[in-house]
Amino acid sequence: MGPPRVASAIAMVLLLLSSSFLLRLPLARARLPNPNPTSRALLLLPASSPLRAFCPASRRPSSATCSAYAAMAATDDNPLLADFDFPPFDRVEPAHVRPAVRTLLARLEGELADLEKGVQPTWGKLVEPLERIVDSLDVVWGTVDHLKAVKDSSDLRAAVEDVQPDKVKFQLRLGQSKPIYEAFKAIRNSSDWETLSEARKRIVESQIKEAVLSGVALEDEQREKFNQIQQELEKLTQKFSENVLDATKKFEKLITEKNEIDGLPATALGLAAQTAVSKGHENASAENGPWIITLDAPSYIAVMQHAQNRALREEVYRAYLTRASSGDLDNTNIISQILKLRLEKAKLLGYKNYAEVSMAQKMATVDRVEELLEKLRAASWDHAVQDMEDLKVFAKGSASPEANDLTHWDLNFWSERLRESKYDINEEDLRPYFALPKVMDGLFSLANKLFGVSVESADGLAPVWNSDVKFYCVKDSSNSPVAYFYFDPYSRPSEKRGGAWMNVVFSRSRVLARNGSPVRLPVAHMVCNQTPPVGDKPSLMTFREVETVFHEFGHALQHMLTKQDEGFVAGIRGIEWDAVELPSQFMENWCYHKNTLLSIAKHYETGELLPEEIYAKLVAAKNFRAGTFSLRQIRFASVDMELHSTYDPNGSLSIYDVDRRVAERTQVLAPLPEDKFLCSFSHIFAGGYAAGYYSYKWAEVLSADAFSAFEDVGLDNEKAIEETGRRFRETVLALGGGKSPLEVFVSFRGREPSPEALLRHNGLLPAAA
């Protein structure tokens, strides 16, 4: 999963739901007095006092409290406000967030007012100061938001909740600035327009579009209503995400009898025992237990694929499917409110529905999305039906008592048994060949071959938020640094949200260059949730975890290898959302490339290479149940699009009615009546994929076609592969948002994209083709 991407400065401001921002504080855990205005003398502040930034009149704390805030907000003391080369992730505490963000916003308000007063329709007097304002907020808020994703706590939640309305208020103020909007229109209408580079034209046009989508044309009551909606949406999406994390953490299944978890591989048993130790069962061991099963991905997937105990599979499956759908953590009403507010926002902007708002910033249209999804659905359906028949036949042949009644918690279990039988391959047996350090070495070697860059460890150069986090430097062929990135690989269910993502720390920028450098170098972070090391063993990965690392590294490469110096279109910024998955999904293809895979697959103890016959089996199993997996993504994309286009959130149908209707044409086995997966569908209700989940399939068409360029020249032709890789770097990875995605693709491929390669790669083409 990729991070929210932004098409312009104003989009960046309004869509920065997952960005990160940092400030500096002393190592000592500073604690603030607890404000209690009812029992203390109120501090009276003059209108000009900077303390008003964090001591608002509506809830003025005592003099001591305001003084404490002021002291913490001082640049020398607060890590988030310090001048740093890399964010001080190790020093930021929840207590730093309120004073830092409020101090920063007060400063940015002044800078914005100065910009508006003296604004001129020139690059130096408009775009450059605007980029500085946006970046200042981007860095600090992005750091805070990142820490909330990887090091969550109740104190940090409370701090973010307190300052979030202030942050959104400033974003709206910036996004609706008429002087800035008019200045951008003046640039577009000037006689100098044709002299601008394509990247600069893209910046101006996207700024104008985003200003309109930000409500710049609304007046009085409509603008006030729009701003209220934005504030409420930010609160709701934040709460949605917190409920999913809390519901995931809440489920723990303690098991004391070994026979209850028969079938679980040694890796899963070790992880379950390690979890038990962390929960107070000091003597827990993989061999004797006790064991704790959770809904975190490594634990959940292991149970669903390997536990012979059908009752355990059912319990865990039902718990996972109904996360955040009951009690205090129920997201049902939150979803309803989000959909109502998005629809109301769309109508205020003059659109029929929120999908149209979303498409205004993408390559596709609603009609083209529906056309693509239906084409892929039709190509996948018969294959998925056959997948189900194959499972039933295999289960009956195994004389299993559940064979005549296969249901949802049986599918992954029996799919894994069928895959083992059909291809003589066991994913757990492959783990020893995929130790994380070796996988990373092979990935970096591939990047060197394709793109001419080297990746070196730079641990210790930048502060990190957890001791498991690695830091790397990316260098070009002249051995000069071009970028840096953090890698946080392991699952930490007590504090880290699920999934995998890449996001921006710093963007490449000429304007924000430091210390005499011509540009500021890009910095990214990659976050995964794979199986952590158990005992004295390194992290031994499943093949799917290997694919995930390649995927996120693809995102990071596009951010880090950009050659755009204009910050608003550098790296992943300014790229239409439905194209951002191209490089990530492109990189996944290399996991099946023989030389690449054999370079990373070495037994962690013996050094033995993965036998070629096992590689052949992996390739043969690549499209196992491809129809089923394709329909799954199409279901998610279709329900997302329908909820944001034709669904009436004020009508009689529920969101679950919509999902069940979509499932009738996208799921061979009807969902359970209690299926509430929407309550944990964070991509569209707490991320940047609302009316945009289709982007995975849209970009998959682009990525498959891009990889077919390497197939065309011959995957064994080293010289041609390197030449094609350099062309991919100079187009897809280098051009960022400074050129339209379609033009970028044509520059690389020489023609417009076709879905044929995707269907061929997935084995979904008709036999005659």
Side-chain angles (χ1 to χ4, degrees):
M1 163 188 178
R5 276 84 177 181
V6 285
S8 71
I10 299 173
M12 223 184 308
V13 170
L14 283 176
L15 296 178
L16 268 175
L17 297 178
S18 331
S19 296
S20 301
F21 270 71
L22 232 79
L23 314 157
R24 267 198 188 203
L25 234 158
L27 289 174
R29 270 38 170 190
R31 299 299 178 194
L32 298 179
N34 186 27
N36 186 355
T38 60
S39 62
R40 297 178 180 177
L42 297 183
L43 177 67
L44 299 178
L45 299 175
S48 61
S49 173
L51 294 185
R52 285 183 175 271
F54 35 79
C55 295
S58 59
R59 42 179 180 156
R60 187 71 45 75
S62 71
S63 174
T65 297
C66 274
S67 295
Y69 271 122
M72 288 188 64
T75 301
D76 292 340
D77 294 331
N78 194 315
L80 281 168
L81 294 175
D83 182 28
F84 46 74
D85 291 321
F86 299 104
F89 288 113
D90 59 334
R91 298 179 60 207
V92 176
E93 298 289 339
H96 301 141
V97 174
R98 293 178 181 88
V101 172
R102 286 172 177 152
T103 300
L104 175 67
L105 290 175
R107 175 171 67 81
L108 295 183
E109 282 280 2
E111 292 180 10
L112 177 56
D114 290 343
L115 173 59
E116 290 177 321
K117 288 175 186 175
V119 69
Q120 296 178 28
T122 66
W123 213 256
K125 295 292 186 179
L126 171 62
V127 183
E128 293 182 2
L130 180 62
E131 183 179 343
R132 291 189 182 95
I133 290 172
V134 169
D135 189 79
S136 294
L137 182 57
D138 192 357
V139 172
V140 176
W141 187 261
T143 299
V144 173
D145 196 63
H146 173 67
L147 287 173
K148 190 172 182 299
V150 297
K151 199 174 180 180
D152 188 42
S153 70
S154 57
D155 287 345
L156 184 55
R157 285 188 187 185
V160 170
E161 185 178 343
D162 277 358
V163 294
Q164 190 167 266
D166 302 326
K167 187 262 298 186
V168 175
K169 183 179 179 181
F170 177 77
Q171 292 173 333
L172 291 167
R173 161 93 168 80
L174 177 58
Q176 296 169 356
S177 170
K178 287 193 174 181
I180 292 176
Y181 173 60
E182 294 298 335
F184 274 112
K185 288 203 299 182
I187 290 178
R188 189 179 63 180
N189 296 329
S190 73
S191 58
D192 295 333
W193 175 249
E194 292 304 324
T195 67
L196 295 182
S197 66
E198 186 172 1
R200 289 191 169 188
K201 285 181 179 179
R202 289 259 299 173
I203 290 172
V204 172
E205 289 170 342
S206 63
Q207 293 287 339
I208 294 170
K209 179 190 294 183
E210 289 299 333
V212 173
L213 294 177
S214 301
V216 72
L218 302 178
E219 300 290 348
D220 303 330
E221 291 182 6
Q222 283 192 324
R223 176 179 288 200
E224 184 178 349
K225 184 62 179 175
F226 182 92
N227 292 351
Q228 289 174 353
I229 289 172
Q230 287 295 113
Q231 288 279 11
E232 189 62 24
L233 281 173
E234 184 113 353
K235 292 178 187 176
L236 290 168
T237 54
Q238 190 82 19
K239 183 62 175 172
F240 183 99
S241 180
E242 290 172 357
N243 284 351
V244 174
L245 177 60
D246 290 347
T248 303
K249 290 194 299 184
K250 188 177 181 180
F251 179 89
E252 292 179 2
K253 174 74 173 177
L254 178 65
I255 297 176
T256 57
E257 300 297 327
K258 185 70 175 284
N259 64 336
E260 290 188 39
I261 50 173
D262 282 349
L264 256 65
T267 304
L269 291 173
L271 178 60
Q274 192 166 277
T275 302
V277 170
S278 71
K279 301 294 183 179
H281 300 274
E282 297 179 1
N283 298 319
S285 67
E287 296 76 21
N288 302 312
W291 306 268
I292 289 182
I293 302 299
T294 71
L295 298 183
D296 200 45
S299 178
Y300 170 77
I301 292 171
V303 170
M304 299 316 298
Q305 288 185 336
H306 301 291
Q308 296 173 11
N309 184 345
R310 193 187 192 198
L312 176 62
R313 296 201 308 266
E314 177 180 0
E315 180 181 357
V316 173
Y317 178 84
R318 288 182 181 275
Y320 191 85
L321 195 69
T322 56
R323 284 179 301 160
S325 66
S326 62
D328 294 339
L329 303 178
D330 192 350
N331 274 336
T332 303
N333 188 52
I334 290 177
I335 294 173
S336 178
Q337 293 180 66
I338 288 173
L339 292 174
K340 288 177 182 177
L341 290 171
R342 285 176 178 169
L343 178 59
E344 189 174 0
K345 172 183 172 179
K347 291 185 175 179
L348 280 171
L349 294 173
Y351 292 93
K352 289 186 295 185
N353 52 60
Y354 187 78
E356 291 186 352
V357 176
S358 175
M359 294 300 144
Q361 307 167 77
K362 295 182 172 67
M363 293 177 68
T365 63
V366 174
D367 289 343
R368 290 190 67 190
V369 169
E370 291 176 347
E371 179 184 346
L372 174 66
L373 292 178
E374 177 53 29
K375 180 172 185 175
L376 296 178
R377 189 203 68 80
S380 305
W381 181 261
D382 288 347
H383 293 270
V385 170
Q386 187 60 52
D387 289 344
M388 181 60 73
E389 288 304 310
D390 291 345
L391 274 192
K392 291 178 179 178
V393 170
F394 178 76
K396 287 179 180 178
S398 302
S400 169
E402 61 204 52
N404 293 318
D405 184 32
L406 288 185
T407 189
H408 297 276
W409 45 87
D410 303 318
L411 301 186
N412 284 327
F413 176 81
W414 285 105
S415 293
E416 194 63 17
R417 303 292 81 73
L418 175 58
R419 194 168 78 100
E420 292 167 357
S421 172
K422 188 173 183 178
Y423 301 103
D424 189 23
I425 190 169
N426 183 312
E427 188 163 272
E428 285 300 314
D429 291 343
L430 294 179
R431 279 187 188 266
Y433 290 96
F434 296 123
L436 177 63
K438 191 62 185 175
V439 169
M440 299 307 289
D441 288 345
L443 176 58
F444 298 156
S445 179
L446 175 66
N448 179 259
K449 181 175 72 172
L450 293 178
F451 312 125
V453 297
S454 59
V455 182
E456 300 177 2
S457 173
D459 287 337
L461 181 62
V464 296
W465 53 92
N466 184 282
S467 59
D468 290 331
V469 176
K470 302 298 181 183
F471 191 66
Y472 295 96
C473 175
V474 181
K475 296 183 177 181
D476 62 17
S477 56
S478 66
N479 206 37
S480 299
V482 295
Y484 299 89
F485 71 98
Y486 304 81
F487 180 41
D488 184 353
Y490 308 131
S491 166
R492 295 190 299 276
S494 65
E495 64 177 10
K496 183 178 177 183
R497 70 174 169 88
W501 65 92
M502 166 268 163
N503 212 339
V504 174
V505 179
F506 298 134
S507 285
R508 181 180 171 94
S509 171
R510 170 186 54 82
V511 171
L512 296 163
R514 294 163 55 92
N515 305 321
S517 300
V519 295
R520 181 181 68 179
L521 297 182
V523 181
H525 49 64
M526 287 168 50
V527 182
C528 294
N529 269 281
Q530 68 189 52
T531 307
V534 176
D536 58 355
K537 296 180 181 179
S539 174
L540 301 178
M541 305 166 69
T542 66
F543 187 68
R544 180 57 195 148
E545 288 174 339
V546 173
E547 290 179 298
T548 298
V549 170
F550 273 61
H551 178 105
E552 299 306 332
F553 191 60
H555 282 308
L557 285 170
Q558 188 172 37
H559 175 64
M560 297 188 295
L561 300 189
T562 184
K563 292 189 175 180
Q564 291 287 358
D565 292 339
E566 300 290 349
F568 287 143
V569 290
I572 62 174
R573 285 185 164 155
I575 299 176
E576 282 77 351
W577 197 286
D578 40 10
V580 295
E581 297 293 338
L582 191 170
S584 56
Q585 293 178 153
F586 163 82
M587 287 298 294
E588 288 185 47
N589 289 283
W590 293 99
C591 294
Y592 291 93
H593 177 236
K594 183 176 181 179
N595 291 344
T596 299
L597 186 66
L598 294 183
S599 74
I600 67 176
K602 294 182 180 179
H603 198 284
Y604 80 101
E605 289 179 316
T606 67
E608 175 197 7
L609 289 174
L610 182 76
E612 287 205 22
E613 60 268 25
I614 295 183
Y615 163 74
K617 293 172 183 177
L618 261 178
V619 173
K622 177 176 180 286
N623 291 328
F624 179 62
R625 294 176 61 77
T628 298
F629 296 136
S630 177
L631 283 186
R632 179 178 182 270
Q633 288 294 86
I634 292 167
R635 176 193 174 189
F636 294 165
S638 298
V639 73
D640 167 39
M641 191 58 65
E642 188 160 336
L643 286 174
H644 289 103
S645 58
T646 60
Y647 175 64
D648 179 7
N650 298 300
S652 58
L653 289 180
S654 74
I655 55 173
Y656 306 116
D657 293 330
V658 174
D659 182 42
R660 280 189 285 272
R661 184 170 65 234
V662 169
E664 288 177 2
R665 63 180 192 276
T666 58
Q667 194 164 312
V668 176
L669 182 63
L672 297 175
E674 60 269 40
D675 187 331
K676 300 288 179 66
F677 99 91
L678 287 173
C679 287
S680 57
F681 198 1
S682 297
H683 277 75
I684 70 171
F685 295 121
Y689 285 83
Y693 195 87
Y694 76 90
S695 300
Y696 283 100
K697 300 308 289 185
W698 187 273
E700 203 174 347
V701 170
L702 303 177
S703 64
D705 202 346
F707 186 74
S708 71
F710 292 80
E711 295 174 319
D712 290 347
V713 301
L715 291 174
D716 295 325
N717 187 334
E718 294 289 329
K719 185 172 186 297
I721 288 296
E722 289 183 12
E723 291 174 351
T724 309
R726 297 305 192 274
R727 193 169 77 249
F728 187 87
R729 175 183 175 178
E730 294 303 316
T731 52
V732 176
L733 299 182
L735 296 176
K739 204 177 186 72
S740 77
L742 183 58
E743 289 180 278
V744 171
F745 184 89
V746 172
S747 296
F748 169 67
R749 199 69 177 91
R751 57 165 173 76
E752 293 194 4
S754 163
E756 188 273 339
L758 173 60
L759 295 174
R760 174 169 54 82
H761 287 172
N762 288 346
L764 300 177
L765 281 177

